[in-house]
Each structure stands twice: as structure tokens, then as C-alpha cells.
Amino acid sequence: MPPPALHDLTIRQAADALRRRELSPVDLTEAVLDRVRRLDGVLNAYITVTEEAALAQARAAEREIAAGTYRGPLHGIPLAYKDLFATRGVRTTAGSRLLAGWVPDYDAEAVARLHAAGAVMLGKLNLHEFAYGVTTANPHYGPCRNPWDTTRSPGGSSGGSGAAVAAGLALGALGTDTGGSIRIPAALCGVVGLKPTYGRVSRHGVVPLAWSLDHVGPLARTVEDAALLLAAVAGFDPKDPAAADAPVPDYAAALAGDARGLRAGVLGGHFTAGADPEVLAALAAAVQTLEGCGVRTDGAELDHAGDALTAATCIMFSEASAYHERDLRERPEDYGPDVRARLELGELYRATDYLRAQRARTVFVQEVLALLDRFDVLVAPATPVPAPPIEGGDPAARLVQYTSPFNLAGLPAVSVPCGFTAAGLPVGMMLVGRPFEEATVLRAAAAYQGATDWHRRRPPL
């Protein structure tokens, strides 16, 4: 079998070659940029490509590695960031007209940590405007398209991140997840997307959607690559008031652990209601594969999951409208129609609605933590349907049905590719774990990925 093209390398494969000086960071970056030039006119995954700066960073990485200063597995790796992350000297639009001219004089903390690890920034990725939606049909910068079928949505709001990683337009990416916005595009684009525990990764310098639900996390081709990215960005940051001062384990090392004996609760009820039969069939086969890896499975229920979805919606709408209150009053015409409608709807929630939603949150957190006393991980589809058409696709409420409750609970959750529909569209399996036990979630996901080859498939571009 011929070696993979440079843009098809995983982060681990590229890192090993860079460390051994068998591959140049400049050659790797140029190969991925060439892929961007050839394909992004179709996919529209990027809002801004920082080609000159990327090549300068790659040359600097090449000099450092040649001099024996190797920073680690992200040194010289070309990555891209959802355009919610502040980047020094590079415009940060949040996919909006309101911030179209904003050029920050600082980096978001997660970006700064990746730069400190030696990563190369290719540019800023398309998203649903202000991360407030799940289609990435952006009215200001154009719709992002799914590389498996360009008539279909890549999901959102981190749609550009999912599409870019799937199509080889970046070896990895950062996204944000408020109701499923990392896991949904990961599932619909056939890549790995990890939402860490709330507070595990700093949100400093990230344009917020809803303060108490926002999470920062990686998208990558493999579970190991996601672990490498998480290790670089995780950890306490005093600049984020929600940041948790919790130890950060060696996530990549944890993947070598045996998954045998792990207990997995396969969620039913709310987490299968309305699901496409092909999604359920792929999940059933994935559960059998987990069992073959030595994972003990049993059925599980979360009776308050529907209430959790309702509560999360109330909290998200209320907090988003509070953040945008002034701009919505002074510049309403600068918002896209769908986002403006959601912001106006959010203003109709009362303080009593918000407080009741927070009480429902407490009930759901207690329920899910009690269930996780019995199980190490919970298993469900990441989305009830495969990628919908860009025009006239499924409403947001349907795509976030399975993901949003775990934003409310703040639990770590990963989507990993687990099959394809007859039409060739990816399906994702979601694994959820206890607070700050990303290592366990990743270990289960890595065991599954090691027994399958879904993640090795590439879009027919």
C-alpha cells in the first residue's frame, strides 16, 4: 500500500516523521495549503487563510527541530481554529458582520497554548454565525459544505472545523460546543470530536454563546490525535472564571490502557427516539464491537433527558440574548435572519423560566452522575440523523437532541465515526463519562477505533 499523501497523515504520523526529520514542517504545511487552495472554493471551510504566516511558522519550526529543540507532538503540525477564537493580528469575525473588522491584539488561551506547543496556524474556520446554530449555513460568509456530499450540511456550529479535518484541509482543529457544536459536525463529517468537561479548557478569548454551557475542544481524524490536542490546551487558566484547577493526565498514554472490564450503559428512550434506522443499526453494530473489545454493556435510561434538553434551550437562549442585548437593540439589521430570530426569542424568557431551568439542571446532573456510579461510560448516537441537506434540512432542535443534555451536565463526551449510511454519509457514536475523566472516555473510544476502520475512509473529493 502506498504511503498516505501528506494532507492525509494523522497528527501522530506527521509528528513522528517530523521528530525523526524525515518530513519538513514546510513541506507538510505547503501540502495542506495546496489542498486548501484546490478544495476550499467548493467546501468553504475557511473564512480567513493565513498562508504567509503559516509558512513563516513552519520555517521557524523547521529551524528549531533541526537545532534539536523539539517541543513535542504538535511542533510543526498545521492546524486551524474556529473563527470564534481571538488570534493576534488576524481578524476574528465569529462568522458575523458585526465583528467583520475585529483584529485582536491577543490570542485566545487555547490558541496561545497550541502556539507554545509549536503548532502552525493555517487560518480561521467557518461557523454558524456567533455559533448560534447547527448548519453553518452562514449568511455573511457563505455556507460550509459537507465533504462527503457537498449538497449537505457539515453540521455546526463548528462546521468549518469538521469539514476541514475530514477533507484534509487541516490535520486538526479547535471548535466550541454549547449544545453539540463539536460532536455534531464530527459525527456528520466522519471525524472525532471531543467536548471536554466544563472548565477543563480555558474559554478566555473565545466569543461566547452561553457562558454556563460553552466548552472548547478538538476535532481530529483519530482519538489519539484528539488526545494530543486536548493535552496541549487543557489545564487551569485564571483568566477564565469557570476554569477548573484539576490535574491534567497524560491522555495519549491513557489510550494504551486495556478497555476490558469497562462498563458501558447503552442509552435508550430519549437517546433513540426519532433516530434514523440506519443510525440505530450503526450504533447497534458499534456496541457489539465494544463488547468484542471486552467492554461490558447493559441498557440504561435517563428519565429527565427530555427536561434537560428543554432546560438547556432556555439557558442558552437567555444567556445568548443577554450577551447580545446591546447589539441587537442598536444593530439588528447586521444579524442573519435565523440568529436574529433566536436572539429575539431569547428575550421572551423570564427570570423565573431561567431559574426553573437551573433547578432542572440540578435534577438532571444528579440523575446522570448516579447512573455513572454504575457505568464508566454512557453510549448513544451523536445525532439522530445523518447530514441533512443544506437547504431545508432538519431543524436545530432535532440535531442537538442527544448532545445538548451533556452540555447542561458539563460532562466529557466524544463522537467517534461508527459507520456510514447506504448513501455514503457518516454516522457517529457518542461516549460520555464522569467529570474530568476524559481519559476513560478516550480509552473506550480508542479501543473501538482500533477494532474498526471507519476513521480511515476519506471523502470522495
Side-chain angles (χ1 to χ4, degrees), residues 136-154:
T136 315
N138 191 297
H140 311 297
Y141 302 94
C144 181
R145 299 182 179 277
N146 193 310
W148 293 94
D149 179 345
T150 56
T151 69
R152 293 180 179 268
S153 168

Side-chain angles (χ1 to χ4, degrees), residues 401-428:
Q401 179 179 343
Y402 304 155
T403 53
S404 184
F406 300 112
N407 290 84
L408 193 73
L411 299 177
V414 66
S415 175
V416 60
C418 72
F420 286 81
T421 67
L425 299 174
V427 178

Side-chain angles (χ1 to χ4, degrees), residues 3-4 51 69 107 122 140 143 149 163 165 169 212 246 251 261 272 285 310-311 359 373 378 382 435 448-449 460:
E51 182 169 341
T69 305
D107 286 325
L122 297 168
H140 311 297
D149 179 345
V165 171
L169 276 59
S212 71
Y251 295 114
T272 55
T310 302
R359 291 181 66 186
D373 282 339
L378 305 177
Y448 172 78
Q449 197 161 79

